[in-house]
Amino acid sequence: MVKTVLVTGGAGFIGSHTCVELLESNISVICVDDLSNSKQSVVDRIKSITGKELSFHKLNVCDETQLDRIFEMYDIDAVIHFAGYKAVGQSVEKPLMYYQNNLNSTITLLKCMAKHNVNRIVFSSSATVYGVPKVVPMNETADTWCTNPYGWTKYMSEQIIKDWCVATPNASAILLRYFNPIGAHFSGLIGEDPNGIPNNLLPYICQVAAGKLEYLRVFGDDYDTADGTGVRDYIHVVDLAKGHLKALEYIDANKGCQCVNLGTGKGYSVLDVVKAYQTACGIDIPYRIYPRRSGDIATSYADPKKAYELLGWKAERDLNDMCASAYNWQKMNPNGYGD
Ligand code: UFG
């Protein structure tokens, strides 16, 4: 049974929600994070939500000496690997920074795991590995190809883990391909806290709702979709976090490597999200149509069948819950974590 889990990048958006779910399932959590895109106060908030302790260590997963010390200190049963840079646009400007950090961290982690006989890993991958999909919904057998360095780091990390799994006796891995995680914990204590002006749709809408930004720029209304705006599979971050627990149960009982989509199977357009947000929060979201954003695709949504069949997981929260919880987080934390 998995009793103690090392969570890399555990102070981040998805990592913090996953730490909460782990602790609430009575799993001990060792969280490591270099706080390059997250805040120390997240750790206290996780503790106040759950009423449980977790061990936190500030370190970069690429630092083999420091990471090795963590494996020396604790009896780790499995790892959930979130740590990594994640801004698509920045990855195009600074590809080497992305390859160096995101690939080195995966390799260093697997080396430390091997040294300490830890052979179970859940990896935070992304639907970005499907590139421009030929058909939707996308299932796990769809072609993979990426359109930016961030995506390639996910693609290559997946390959590294697959190869490690073949070479390591009794190894088991799940590569979770997330669609578009949004929303926040219902407590309003943890949520998404982007640096500067948000790139992603929901954090941007939240800042328009808060009056920090004047209007939403809708990138393109001439896509081949019902209303012309881009369609995505938005998934509540709490549902996503729960998917990691199901993945842990699976790798505890099974060997080998599997990739699994985490999505709802439903696609919503940008304007659907704007409407849902307005309804859920009772706030008008002004928007203007802008040209398409470079690199965006028209439509992306998951075939989530494998997650249900293999892991017994499916998303339970709807778009209204996602918008309402994101708004609640924004209202309770106008400046994010602010420290
Ligand atoms: N959008 C706008 N205005 C904005 C921001 C976004 O109209 O200010 C639109 C986009 O054009 C797209 C949709 O909203 O149609 C969603 O955009 P996001 O930036 O929120 O999300 P993406 O689908 O572009 O990317 C997300 C993650 C990536 C991940 C990818 C996986 O940010 O890390 O999903 O499919 F790789």
Side-chain angles (χ1 to χ4, degrees), residues 28-287:
S28 297
V29 174
I30 320 303
C31 169
V32 299
D33 199 303
D34 67 358
L35 302 178
S36 59
N37 192 25
S38 55
K39 304 283 164 54
Q40 173 81 44
S41 61
V42 174
V43 177
D44 295 325
R45 292 179 179 218
I46 295 170
K47 288 180 189 170
S48 55
I49 292 171
T50 59
K52 300 208 168 117
E53 281 302 313
L54 81 165
S55 309
F56 174 77
H57 298 268
K58 181 172 185 275
L59 63 87
N60 185 297
V61 179
C62 300
D63 185 331
E64 192 170 339
T65 312
Q66 282 199 50
L67 188 64
D68 187 66
R69 206 172 299 139
I70 300 294
F71 279 89
E72 296 278 351
M73 280 169 72
Y74 302 97
D75 197 5
I76 293 165
D77 298 309
V79 177
I80 306 181
H81 180 34
F82 293 106
Y85 298 151
K86 62 171 188 180
V88 173
Q90 187 186 43
S91 80
V92 176
E93 285 156 26
K94 299 180 176 175
L96 300 185
M97 183 175 112
Y98 271 68
Y99 287 116
Q100 185 157 35
N101 185 67
N102 291 4
L103 299 183
N104 265 345
S105 58
T106 301
I107 294 168
T108 306
L109 178 61
L110 292 171
K111 277 173 76 181
C112 287
M113 287 171 63
K115 186 171 163 199
H116 296 273
N117 283 318
V118 179
N119 52 19
R120 284 175 279 209
I121 183 167
V122 177
F123 176 61
S124 163
S125 188
S126 168
T128 196
V129 300
Y130 296 121
V132 182
K134 288 199 188 103
V135 282
V136 283
M138 290 113 100
N139 71 28
E140 291 80 354
T141 63
D143 290 347
T144 47
W145 185 258
C146 300
T147 54
N148 57 72
Y150 158 75
W152 284 117
T153 68
K154 291 296 180 191
Y155 178 102
M156 290 177 193
S157 286
E158 282 197 1
Q159 189 60 45
I160 292 167
I161 294 169
K162 282 179 202 163
D163 291 340
W164 165 86
C165 234
V166 170
T168 306
N170 296 323
S172 52
I174 294 259
L175 315 171
L176 292 175
R177 293 174 174 168
Y178 313 147
F179 281 71
N180 288 56
I182 59 170
H185 193 262
F186 73 90
S187 63
L189 288 175
I190 55 172
E192 193 166 7
D193 182 20
N195 282 332
I197 295 180
N199 294 313
N200 297 116
L201 181 62
L202 234 281
Y204 202 102
I205 291 179
C206 285
Q207 297 207 4
V208 174
K212 289 186 170 182
L213 296 166
E214 203 186 336
Y215 57 86
L216 171 70
R217 296 169 303 167
V218 174
F219 296 134
D221 68 347
D222 55 353
Y223 285 107
D224 185 14
T225 61
D227 64 18
T229 66
V231 167
R232 298 288 183 277
D233 186 337
Y234 296 95
I235 170 169
H236 198 299
V237 65
V238 171
D239 278 331
L240 194 76
K242 288 178 185 291
H244 292 74
L245 269 83
K246 292 291 189 182
L248 272 184
E249 278 173 28
Y250 181 86
I251 56 172
D252 193 28
N254 299 277
K255 305 293 164 215
C257 184
Q258 297 274 355
C259 37
V260 178
N261 287 341
L262 291 186
T264 65
K266 293 190 196 83
Y268 290 103
S269 75
V270 175
L271 295 182
D272 288 336
V273 175
V274 170
K275 274 184 221 127
Y277 195 92
Q278 293 183 147
T279 308
C281 314
I283 289 192
D284 188 42
I285 304 295
Y287 66 83

Side-chain angles (χ1 to χ4, degrees), residues 301-323:
Y301 58 95
D303 175 347
K305 202 159 65 221
K306 185 172 177 186
Y308 188 64
E309 288 174 358
L310 199 76
L311 311 179
W313 172 92
K314 66 176 170 42
E316 285 168 358
R317 288 153 186 80
D318 64 14
L319 189 57
N320 185 65
D321 293 333
M322 300 179 212
C323 293

